[in-house]
Amino acid sequence: MAEYTSILIERKQRVAIVTLNRPRELNALNFQLVAELATALEELDRDEAIGCIVLTGAGEKAFAAGADIKEMADKTPIEMMIGGFESWERIRRIHTPTIAAVNGYALGGGCELALHCDIIMASDNARFGQPEIQLGVIPGAGGTQRLARTLGKYRTMEMVLTGSTVSAKELEGLGLVNHVVPQAELLNETLKLADKIASQAPIAARLAKEAVLAAFDTSLQDGLEIERKNFFLLFSTKDMREGMQAFIEKRKANFQGK
Ligand code: CO8
């Protein structure tokens, strides 16, 4: 693995835990951190031993309190454009299932990073928000689009136009957070879910993720087409033979990722 200064990586069997590690700045996302994160996620994505990636923040206060305002404050539009925004596109293209374990504030780019993940677990003290409007800007890493697709127009407008934060509990009810758990149990509960995902047939998990994400990018017809093609494609895998044979023989499947 490459050397990283702003993130930590830990492996637990088939699960990788990536921790945003700038706790004194509430894990504010400077350009270096986001670039490191993109590189690390790509490395883990290529690693066949990893079946699920958990993303969390160091400390008890924040997942990430947004883009680093001190770094951004005197930037020009061109500097913002060439400063590394493509890292977000790289994060978006990760095939391995990802889970955000949101352990406190997920604000601005921090909320958007959680929204890049496939599942969002949150501690009971977690708060989400897009406070950019209070800084004279708007979300820039997908917040307006991903929130609108999940929460609908009206709740999204309220969040984006006021910058007010919303509790994890409320967002659980609105379908944006999968489960809210006490902070002390967040990582363990997330790892249980991650283990379960990582124990599935890996190619099926990737193609399932791709098919679900297609629902956000394509028409229903195109999405159905992608699902069907992925479904047929899986009949070329050894894991599909193994999964069905194991069912017939009433034993646990032993998936190999082939
Ligand atoms: N950037 C830089 N430093 C930060 C940030 C941030 N986003 N958030 C917190 N910090 C720093 C504080 O400056 C402080 O440092 P210091 O001790 O040196 O003064 C330290 O972290 C602790 O923070 P606070 O003292 O403020 O802690 P509080 O508990 O009083 O408050 C809050 C916690 C409410 C989270 C508060 O820190 C806050 O409001 N933070 C800013 C939240 C925000 O506005 N986020 C949006 C940023 S804009 C954005 O995300 C645009 C996204 C565009 C795409 C992504 C590109 C990467």
Side-chain angles (χ1 to χ4, degrees):
M1 296 271 325
E3 289 286 311
Y4 301 111
T5 58
S6 309
I7 58 172
L8 302 170
I9 299 172
E10 194 186 342
R11 288 151 184 270
K12 282 189 189 272
Q13 281 111 30
R14 290 188 43 74
V15 175
I17 306 168
V18 180
T19 305
L20 312 174
N21 192 28
R22 299 182 72 212
R24 256 176 307 174
E25 295 85 8
L26 305 187
N27 304 318
L29 306 169
N30 59 14
F31 282 106
Q32 180 179 336
L33 187 153
V34 183
E36 285 187 9
L37 181 61
T39 303
L41 292 177
E42 284 174 347
E43 276 191 58
L44 294 167
D45 203 25
R46 286 192 295 270
D47 187 340
E48 288 181 8
I50 296 299
C52 187
I53 303 170
V54 171
L55 208 55
T56 194
E60 299 196 334
K61 235 173 131 178
F63 174 71
D68 189 322
I69 299 169
K70 292 165 193 164
E71 183 185 60
M72 256 185 330
D74 59 1
K75 289 262 189 282
T76 65
I78 300 299
E79 285 168 341
M80 286 305 286
M81 194 177 79
I82 62 175
F85 242 75
E86 75 281 353
S87 299
W88 290 92
E89 194 52 31
R90 291 166 61 201
I91 294 169
R92 188 181 75 79
R93 285 200 225 104
I94 299 302
H95 299 97
T96 308
T98 53
I99 308 180
V102 177
N103 53 310
Y105 288 112
L107 303 181
C111 183
E112 292 170 304
L113 182 58
L115 292 169
H116 273 70
C117 294
D118 302 315
I119 289 178
I120 303 181
M121 296 286 289
S123 58
D124 46 12
N125 66 328
R127 294 196 73 84
F128 294 71
Q130 298 288 165
E132 288 91 341
I133 194 104
Q134 295 167 359
L135 302 168
V137 287
I138 66 168
T144 60
Q145 302 307 296
R146 292 201 174 86
L147 281 179
R149 279 167 164 75
T150 310
L151 300 179
K153 171 181 165 186
Y154 303 98
R155 294 307 303 250
T156 301
M157 283 291 189
E158 189 176 334
M159 282 180 77
V160 170
L161 293 176
T162 66
S164 304
T165 62
V166 182
S167 70
K169 197 79 210 153
E170 194 173 342
L171 289 173
E172 185 185 31
L174 294 170
L176 189 136
V177 166
N178 290 68
H179 304 285
V180 179
V181 297
Q183 186 166 38
E185 290 161 32
L186 177 66
L187 198 57
N188 263 345
E189 289 301 317
T190 305
L191 285 174
K192 276 190 214 162
L193 188 56
D195 277 337
K196 192 161 190 184
I197 292 169
S199 71
Q200 309 301 330
I203 305 172
R206 284 179 169 228
L207 295 187
K209 169 171 174 166
E210 183 184 278
V212 173
L213 288 179
F216 299 94
D217 291 338
T218 62
S219 66
L220 175 61
Q221 196 51 45
D222 289 345
L224 290 171
E225 199 64 37
I226 290 168
E227 180 193 83
R228 204 171 307 128
K229 285 198 170 133
N230 285 358
F231 176 71
F232 294 150
L233 187 58
L234 285 162
F235 282 71
S236 67
T237 63
K238 290 193 174 130
D239 281 348
M240 168 266 168
R241 305 283 163 215
E242 165 63 10
M244 294 199 185
Q245 200 55 40
F247 174 82
I248 292 164
E249 293 170 9
K250 300 189 187 300
R251 61 174 172 82
K252 196 172 177 308
N254 178 20
F255 294 125
Q256 303 289 335
K258 306 223 182 302

